[in-house]
Amino acid sequence: MPRSGVPPRVPPVEPELLASAVFLFREYLEQLDAEALPEDEEEEPPIDTRAVLDLFAEELGTNVQTTLTLYLRVTALYRLLTQSPSLAALAIDPEEPDGMLTEDAILAAARLDLHVTRDGAEGAADFDPRQFRDALEP
């Protein structure tokens, strides 16, 4: 059990498992975009946490802890890459169709520490952009 005031640590995951979760999350986002009404195109559709957790658990056959870990790592990666086009350019393999992530990006997202923050009942986990960039640059 975490000490009071110390955020829980998000454990690393196997890179192959994370790559599968990233693929599923991408399909989920594409489905949300396809279902969005034309007047909603300017706004990002809200991510249904429960739907994504269920998707990961069903498709990947993961236990509760691994499912939560995958969710935190995938959504942190999503936020990081949407907020930083320069990091996204480093993380996306230009030779792969459909903007697949590089092996280094998957490995970094699977292994780097996540910074967990809490705001009341809400919480989020985020990668340190500098650490992520260092993991991608030769």
Side-chain angles (χ1 to χ4, degrees):
M1 178 158 249
R3 294 181 308 235
S4 179
V6 177
R9 184 175 182 280
V10 179
V13 293
E14 290 300 318
E16 297 82 19
L17 187 59
L18 182 66
S20 296
V22 167
F23 177 80
L24 291 170
F25 188 68
R26 184 174 178 173
E27 284 188 336
Y28 169 80
L29 292 176
E30 288 172 357
Q31 181 182 352
L32 281 183
D33 284 343
E35 294 171 354
L37 299 173
E39 60 267 11
D40 294 337
E41 286 182 10
E42 292 181 19
E43 295 180 27
E44 289 286 322
I47 294 170
D48 181 349
T49 301
R50 180 63 169 203
V52 175
L53 290 171
D54 288 346
L55 178 66
F56 287 174
E58 286 176 28
E59 295 292 324
L60 302 174
T62 52
N63 62 33
V64 172
Q65 179 62 42
T66 303
T67 301
L68 290 171
T69 299
L70 288 170
Y71 178 81
L72 290 171
R73 288 189 173 277
V74 168
T75 55
L77 180 62
Y78 171 74
R79 278 191 306 280
L80 178 68
L81 297 181
T82 56
Q83 293 171 359
S84 177
S86 64
L87 273 178
L90 289 173
I92 294 173
D93 189 341
E95 296 179 14
E96 287 291 324
D98 300 326
M100 299 299 291
L101 295 174
T102 65
E103 188 175 321
D104 287 341
I106 291 292
L107 188 58
R111 300 285 184 230
L112 288 177
D113 285 336
L114 286 174
H115 301 279
V116 178
T117 55
R118 293 218 183 261
D119 184 16
E122 296 293 315
D126 292 297
F127 290 106
D128 178 326
R130 206 170 286 157
Q131 281 184 334
F132 200 86
R133 182 178 303 279
D134 288 347
L136 299 181
E137 290 181 334

